[in-house]
Amino acid sequence: MKISVVVPVFNVELYLRQCLDSIINQSYSNLEIILVDDGSEDQSLKICEDFASKDSRIKVIHQKNAGVSVARNKGIEAATGEYITFLDSDDWIEKEMYKEMMRITIQHQDVDIVMCDVLNVKNNNTEKITVDIRNGFYSRQDIIKELYPTLIVAENLGRLPIVSTCICLFKKSLLENNKIQFDASIRYSEDYLFMAKVMLHARSFYYLKEVFLYYYRQYNLSRSKKYQPEWWIHLLSLNSKLEEAVIGNKDYDFSRQIKLQLIHSALYVSGAVFQDKNINTKAKLKIIKKLFKDKKLKLSFYKLDFNKYPLGLKIILYIVKHNMAWCYVVYRIIISKIQKLKK
């Protein structure tokens, strides 16, 4: 069976060769490698074309800059493999990644999704990232029972989502039959909505727990990590689209998760504002106060209890709920100083 590997490419000339080398040197060779250049302004497109001239499995698509979601959708449309996967062009993978994943598709015929674990690489330090779910095969009923309770957000507002795009192998028919694509209107956390839709339709899933095959490159000045003023608008839109996707679901009631997901987003944005050294305290207070006053965020707290939450998280949630921006900043300063003393 053939795997279509979709790689959106945009201004990554420093890392692209490492990424592409890791794909073409896979021990599983039945690959279709689709490189979608998203209007790169550096040498990325030339690098793609150079690789394509030397490997007939590589197909290069060029488009005007339209974002990673449009690029991935172009790749999905062009894919001819029975399975499809995605790889970010500044990341790289272990030589055995696709061989290991295809081994599972042979053992469990017709499995819809296979997922491995990831290695987070920052400043030459590597951290193993695994998910708090069990290893192995999940039937449709297992997915509903074991994965749905934390599909959109964990109850403790911790790491999410539990399933990530680039560490998964998808049956192409799963995407085609359910008309699942990336939503181009979502400019941040675009994987989030895609994976929710995928898992809502998946009939089976396999998790290669503690099999670390994907290297995720994290660097300090990443746009995805540094506060951007438009974040909250896009995260509100994401929450609405998640709600549309799960509303009326007959297998599980996601209403609490939808509320918690928006609260999680507010905590993420307020945390990024607090940590941004380029924003002065007065400006931080103004941004955070406006965020905490958001009507939909306020409604998310309605009839939610946090009795089982740890004290520190309860305090933060109380502050957010009651729009206490000044208290939030002071509390975060105190916690930061305590953490420094502990070190």
Side-chain angles (χ1 to χ4, degrees):
M1 288 187 289
K2 183 165 63 179
I3 302 174
S4 296
V5 185
V6 177
V7 186
V9 177
F10 180 68
N11 291 351
V12 283
E13 61 183 5
L14 293 178
Y15 310 114
L16 185 55
R17 288 184 179 85
Q18 183 182 21
C19 172
L20 298 183
D21 280 336
S22 74
I23 302 172
I24 64 175
N25 292 319
Q26 286 289 297
S27 55
Y28 188 88
S29 60
N30 191 6
L31 305 176
E32 173 186 53
I33 305 164
I34 304 171
L35 310 180
V36 186
D37 178 66
D38 188 30
S40 293
E41 297 170 344
D42 62 1
Q43 294 299 304
S44 294
L45 177 57
K46 184 180 184 303
I47 293 169
C48 290
E49 291 172 340
D50 287 346
F51 271 80
S53 69
K54 299 170 186 174
D55 193 321
S56 61
R57 297 174 300 171
I58 298 177
K59 180 189 301 181
V60 180
I61 299 171
H62 179 68
Q63 66 177 29
K64 291 183 179 179
N65 181 249
V68 65
S69 292
V70 175
R72 284 174 173 170
N73 289 340
K74 284 269 183 77
I76 293 172
E77 291 164 6
T80 61
E82 289 81 10
Y83 281 89
I84 187 167
T85 188
F86 304 91
L87 178 60
D88 286 343
S89 51
D90 51 356
D91 298 336
W92 70 100
I93 54 178
E94 282 282 355
K95 186 176 182 178
E96 303 296 316
M97 179 167 177
Y98 297 145
K99 182 179 180 181
E100 281 293 303
M101 288 182 150
M102 290 307 294
R103 178 178 61 82
I104 299 301
T105 69
I106 295 169
Q107 290 179 358
H108 299 272
Q109 291 186 5
D110 289 335
V111 64
D112 279 339
I113 306 166
V114 180
M115 185 176 85
C116 67
D117 273 330
V118 62
L119 291 151
N120 193 17
V121 183
K122 184 177 180 181
N123 298 329
N124 295 320
N125 294 316
T126 302
E127 177 189 9
K128 292 181 176 179
I129 304 294
T130 190
V131 183
D132 191 20
I133 58 175
R134 66 171 172 83
N135 176 63
F137 181 79
Y138 291 72
S139 66
R140 173 66 182 169
Q141 288 305 311
D142 293 332
I143 291 171
I144 294 167
K145 182 180 178 182
E146 300 180 49
L147 302 186
Y148 276 18
T150 54
L151 180 63
I152 295 173
V153 65
E155 178 62 30
N156 66 356
L157 302 174
R159 182 178 171 81
L160 64 138
I162 57 169
V163 185
S164 295
T165 304
C166 288
I167 54 174
C168 286
L169 184 69
F170 306 94
K171 182 173 281 188
K172 193 191 175 197
S173 60
L174 170 67
L175 306 184
E176 285 183 329
N177 295 343
N178 297 290
K179 298 179 180 178
I180 300 172
Q181 287 195 326
F182 292 87
D183 190 323
S185 69
I186 302 293
R187 303 296 293 183
Y188 299 95
S189 302
E190 61 280 339
D191 293 5
Y192 207 161
L193 180 61
F194 177 84
M195 289 309 306
K197 288 181 177 179
V198 164
M199 294 307 295
L200 287 169
H201 289 96
R203 296 166 300 167
S204 55
F205 170 78
Y206 195 100
Y207 179 31
L208 285 162
K209 190 176 181 69
E210 295 188 0
V211 179
F212 300 94
L213 301 172
Y214 189 99
Y215 291 88
Y216 170 71
R217 189 190 307 275
Q218 183 179 349
Y219 31 99
N220 295 331
L221 298 178
S222 171
R223 180 176 169 81
S224 65
K225 304 298 179 185
K226 189 176 179 181
Y227 171 69
Q228 304 293 325
E230 66 271 24
W231 269 359
W232 183 242
I233 294 171
H234 287 289
L235 289 171
L236 278 172
S237 176
L238 171 63
N239 184 261
S240 295
K241 288 176 181 289
L242 283 168
E243 189 171 13
E244 288 173 15
V246 302
I247 194 167
N249 188 282
K250 296 178 181 179
D251 297 315
Y252 193 85
D253 180 5
F254 288 97
S255 56
R256 180 177 173 87
Q257 283 189 57
I258 289 294
K259 291 179 177 181
L260 289 176
Q261 190 275 332
L262 190 61
I263 293 169
H264 177 277
S265 294
L267 294 178
Y268 179 79
V269 174
S270 57
V273 173
F274 172 77
Q275 292 172 356
D276 195 324
K277 295 178 181 179
N278 295 318
I279 306 174
N280 63 48
T281 302
K282 186 177 180 180
K284 287 180 182 181
L285 285 168
K286 185 178 179 180
I287 296 168
I288 293 170
K289 188 173 183 178
K290 183 180 179 181
L291 169 63
F292 290 173
K293 283 176 70 176
D294 184 87
K295 290 181 180 179
K296 190 171 184 183
L297 178 60
K298 283 187 167 298
L299 286 172
S300 294
F301 282 94
Y302 183 65
K303 289 189 176 180
L304 278 188
D305 71 81
F306 306 107
N307 294 332
K308 296 180 180 179
Y309 283 22
L311 180 60
L313 185 53
K314 280 184 181 179
I315 292 171
I316 287 287
L317 292 173
Y318 182 88
I319 288 170
V320 177
K321 181 179 180 180
H322 295 280
N323 191 17
M324 302 164 70
W326 179 253
C327 288
Y328 176 83
V329 171
V330 172
Y331 181 76
R332 288 296 303 266
I333 290 171
I334 293 170
I335 294 300
S336 297
K337 288 184 177 179
I338 291 172
Q339 289 174 341
K340 286 180 181 178
L341 287 172
K342 285 183 178 179
K343 290 180 180 179

